[in-house]
Amino acid sequence: MTLKILEHQSLQSFNSFGFDVAARYFAEAHSLQAISEALRIADSHALELLVLGEGSNLILADDLPGFVLKVALQGIEVIDETAETVTVRASAGENWHGFVQWCLGQGYFGLENLSLIPGSVGAAPVQNIGAYGVELKDCFSHLEALDRRTGEVVTLSTEACCFGYRESIFKGPEKGRYIITHVTFTLSKTSRVNTSYGAIEAEMKRLKLPATPQGVSRAVCSLRRAKLPDPVALGNAGSFFKNPVVSNAQFEDLKIRFPEIVAYPDRDGFTKLAAGWLIEQCGWKGFREGAVGVHVKQALVLVNYGGGRADQLLGLAQRICESVQRRFGVELEMEPGIYPVP
Ligand code: FAD
Ligand code: NAP
């Protein structure tokens, strides 16, 4: 037996909102064999399976009647190297920020703008994590996953993962099919920095940091610590909504009515609106209702002050969406997934 199965396990410390729900069955998998065993058990008892990383991008709305499997595989290895690049394979249960810092320590560059994003390596491809002008796909080589449909381990390329803006095949058409076990990255040995995202350069100047990947990482950490609530102290899942992408025609119309609107060019013919700005304009920034609310420093982050419930948070989210729709005619889409799936 490679799997220790717990019953009625509280998930409060396994989700960054800190919602107090329980899993009917819960186990941590430290090996591929343990994952296979969990799948066999879940399938033979027709149990709904939730694959869990560090729980920083989901909303546990109620007790989970099925099987919650925390993927805890550990290990980082260099599998190939040239004069300019290195190929690094990381296990899904590694902590993302720990992995980024390990890479920087070895002199392997490319992930520094993604410093301090909470969560595991295995969940990072699920929404193609992104921040400060860089996305996971920019350094991605391939990943290995257990295919629940066949029981086989498969290798998926960038194309197969269909990465988009906070999107991938794992969130979309093949949701629930793959359990990611390892992610492999191609990183650079040459120190080249990406400070094009406005706030980084200013922060580097302010802190007198060198123009190195380590300097960028420190600037990003400093910006994030100043603006985002630490889930250990205040329950949250980062951005609650995605930045909506609208047609250039709709944007031009909005720009006439709201000249201050914050927006950035997106793919051809489309513009990305800053969801945080839209929400703030509707008066929600810092709003609190009982134990849930909107963060005082970033309107895109909904928070649980402690003792809040998911239904209260989702009710608030609904009202935010309605007010943004009424004022701007723009639909907001939630970023974290809801479990049990409604
Ligand atoms: P979980 O929340 O455990 O899982 C998320 C989803 O992935 C679930 O659907 C789960 O089933 C699935 N999943 C998890 N592990 C696996 C696996 N091994 N195989 C298959 N499916 C799996 N995100 C960004 O993109 N950019 C940011 O800058 C950012 N900042 C954040 C800041 C804060 C303060 C917080 C709380 C969150 C932030 N996030 C950000 C969101 C979150 O950190 C990322 O989405 C992260 O990748 C989630 O990792 P996790 O291990 O916690 O995933
Ligand atoms: P910010 O710097 O205040 O910027 C507000 C919004 O404008 C961001 O959503 C960002 O879009 C966009 N933006 C700013 N400068 C841009 C540029 N030069 N080019 C294109 N778009 C630009 O944002 P923030 O809240 O402090 O977050 C900083 C970064 O961390 C962002 O990249 C954000 O996505 C990321 N973050 C993500 C989460 C999450 O849970 N997903 C949580 C916290 C922070 P983008 O979001 O597309 O970058």
Side-chain angles (χ1 to χ4, degrees):
M1 185 82 166
T2 47
L3 207 61
K4 186 174 165 208
I5 300 174
L6 303 172
E7 291 193 53
H8 305 291
Q9 167 69 41
S10 166
L11 297 176
Q12 192 163 23
S13 61
F14 291 98
N15 76 102
S16 62
F17 267 118
F19 289 134
D20 189 11
V21 301
R24 180 69 181 87
Y25 300 101
F26 174 89
E28 288 192 23
H30 295 271
S31 66
L32 205 55
Q33 196 193 348
I35 296 178
S36 299
E37 196 174 325
L39 285 186
R40 225 175 16 253
I41 293 168
D43 288 345
S44 63
H45 293 84
L47 295 169
E48 196 72 46
L49 182 82
L50 167 60
V51 178
L52 192 65
E54 296 187 18
S56 66
N57 207 29
L58 37 77
I59 297 160
L60 299 182
D62 209 340
D63 287 345
L64 287 127
F67 197 135
V68 174
L69 181 69
K70 182 170 164 62
V71 175
L73 310 185
Q74 297 292 307
I76 302 172
E77 58 180 330
V78 172
I79 57 170
D80 197 12
E81 205 162 352
T82 67
E84 289 87 31
T85 65
V86 60
T87 309
V88 183
R89 177 180 185 257
S91 301
E94 289 286 338
N95 171 262
W96 174 261
H97 181 64
F99 172 59
V100 172
Q101 292 307 304
W102 181 88
C103 292
L104 281 172
Q106 304 296 312
Y108 305 154
F109 308 125
L111 298 175
E112 47 280 355
N113 294 50
L114 303 178
S115 295
L116 215 61
I117 296 182
S120 59
V121 165
V126 173
Q127 74 158 2
N128 178 29
I129 56 169
Y132 295 97
V134 172
E135 291 181 339
L136 167 126
K137 73 168 169 51
D138 301 332
C139 294
F140 180 85
S141 167
H142 61 273
L143 62 75
E144 291 145 74
L146 218 141
D147 183 350
R148 291 194 67 191
R149 209 174 276 174
T150 61
E152 302 290 321
V153 173
V154 293
T155 299
L156 300 181
S157 65
T158 304
E159 292 70 34
C161 293
C162 300
F163 292 125
Y165 171 65
R166 307 289 189 266
E167 271 302 338
S168 74
I169 194 171
F170 310 105
K171 256 187 149 178
E174 300 292 5
K175 189 173 174 174
R177 175 171 173 183
Y178 297 106
I179 300 182
I180 297 164
T181 59
H182 299 87
V183 187
T184 299
F185 299 87
T186 304
L187 301 171
S188 171
K189 290 184 178 175
T190 313
S191 163
R192 227 178 283 116
V193 293
N194 175 350
T195 56
S196 58
Y197 196 100
I200 295 185
E201 220 154 76
E203 190 67 359
M204 290 180 74
K205 259 193 204 129
R206 193 181 74 81
L207 296 174
K208 299 189 174 55
L209 292 168
T212 60
Q214 289 85 352
V216 169
S217 174
R218 283 183 59 193
V220 167
C221 290
S222 166
L223 286 167
R224 295 184 74 99
R225 287 197 178 104
K227 197 166 178 184
L228 292 166
D230 176 357
V232 175
L234 183 59
N236 77 94
S239 304
F240 199 86
F241 301 102
K242 294 181 185 178
N243 287 324
V245 175
V246 299
S247 69
N248 286 348
Q250 186 179 358
F251 172 63
E252 288 310 324
D253 178 50
L254 283 166
K255 182 96 183 137
I256 292 166
R257 293 193 289 137
F258 308 99
E260 306 298 313
I261 193 165
V262 179
Y264 297 88
D266 202 70
R267 62 185 194 276
D268 236 13
F270 292 87
T271 299
K272 178 182 75 178
L273 308 178
W277 186 87
L278 301 175
I279 296 167
E280 193 174 340
Q281 294 306 302
C282 293
W284 291 106
K285 195 174 183 178
F287 176 84
R288 177 171 179 171
E289 190 171 65
V292 300
V294 179
H295 190 47
V296 285
K297 292 187 189 161
Q298 168 55 289
L300 202 46
V301 177
L302 301 199
V303 296
N304 174 17
Y305 287 97
R309 293 192 321 266
D311 62 328
Q312 297 165 331
L313 189 92
L314 291 169
L316 173 60
Q318 177 67 28
R319 280 154 58 206
I320 292 172
C321 286
E322 284 163 8
S323 65
V324 167
Q325 176 71 50
R326 248 192 327 272
R327 178 134 189 223
F328 299 103
V330 171
E331 195 175 339
L332 291 182
E333 188 190 336
M334 267 179 60
E335 188 180 287
I338 304 177
Y339 299 93
V341 177

